[in-house]
Amino acid sequence: GAVVSQHPSWVICKSGTSVKIECRSLDFQATTMFWYRQFPKQSLMLMATSNEGSKATYEQGVEKDKFLINHASLTLSTLTVTSAHPEDSSFYICSAGPGSPQETQYFGPGTRLLVL
Amino acid sequence: GEDVEQSLFLSVREGDSSVINCTYTDSSSTYLYWYKQEPGAGLQLLTYIFSNMDMKQDQRLTVLLNKKDKHLSLRIADTQTGDSAIYFCAETLSGGYNKLIFGAGTRLAVHP
């Protein structure tokens, strides 16, 4: 089956620093990848749609200058949390799909970010 | 608007069947999914059903779709302790570029 990996799996950083999270599709190419955020005991909130070779599409309320997304290749998307603050602490999950017709999304294992 | 709702908690005895329910509001849904999330982990795709289907069975899992009532259910037969997790219902919309709309998740607790 389709496999999506994320790196790192967890990260602790100081307030004010930037953190980069990678999302890779290991056995398929993904024109589109998605970034989600999940707070404890809550559902996933879509942050943005990452498009290979073009700008990401952000959901309402998500600051594009704070959450920088780069989709440089068909197998890699990165999310950079800039000038992280404690309220950015969360579980970040990416997903990707082989594309139509199934439109099935496969999720990475998630990255837990703790900002001190 | 887009909205997916689930009950938040379900407790069952080991060996019994579990039924997790989900309702959605958008009639343009194309695919409906069930994902499983274990503590501290990402989401695992369990199964999906296309919107023109009524039922799909995959080993212990049975998905029922009532498109008229916009109701989706997941039945787990012979529930085991390893099935304890959070189950998310999700939909994609026509022309939504695979964008998933998630429910809040149902926490399934399996006890002896």
Side-chain angles (χ1 to χ4, degrees), chain A residues 18-104:
Chain A
S18 294
V19 175
K20 180 185 285 188
I21 303 170
E22 293 185 348
C23 176
R24 292 181 187 273
S25 55
L26 298 185
D27 50 3
F28 65 95
Q29 294 183 331
T31 306
T32 305
M33 293 183 174
F34 300 88
W35 286 97
Y36 295 84
R37 183 174 181 177
Q38 185 181 32
F39 290 105
K41 298 185 179 180
Q42 294 189 26
S43 188
L44 280 74
M45 182 193 78
L46 178 65
M47 299 174 65
T49 303
S50 173
N51 304 298
E52 189 269 337
S54 65
K55 292 182 179 179
T57 304
Y58 290 82
E59 294 298 304
Q60 191 172 7
V62 178
E63 298 176 60
K64 62 180 181 181
D65 294 331
K66 179 160 186 67
F67 299 100
L68 300 178
I69 291 173
N70 185 286
H71 196 147
S73 76
L74 289 171
T75 59
L76 173 65
S77 174
T78 60
L79 168 68
T80 301
V81 183
T82 62
S83 187
H85 291 288
E87 57 266 30
D88 298 324
S89 299
S90 189
F91 193 49
Y92 292 87
I93 307 177
C94 72
S95 74
S100 298
Q102 291 183 334
E103 302 185 41
T104 302

Side-chain angles (χ1 to χ4, degrees), chain A residues 32 34 36 38 41-46 49 59 91 93 95 97-110 112, chain B residues 30-31 33 35 37 39-45 48 86 88 92-105 107:
Chain A
T32 305
F34 300 88
Y36 295 84
Q38 185 181 32
K41 298 185 179 180
Q42 294 189 26
S43 188
L44 280 74
M45 182 193 78
L46 178 65
T49 303
E59 294 298 304
F91 193 49
I93 307 177
S95 74
S100 298
Q102 291 183 334
E103 302 185 41
T104 302
Q105 291 292 304
Y106 294 90
F107 284 78
R112 191 165 300 281
Chain B
T30 54
Y31 289 91
Y33 303 84
Y35 285 90
Q37 185 180 36
L43 273 68
Q44 173 194 354
L45 176 65
Y48 65 93
I86 300 175
F88 289 96
T92 56
L93 307 177
S94 176
Y97 302 99
N98 301 354
K99 176 179 173 178
L100 282 169
I101 310 298
F102 282 90
R107 185 177 296 273

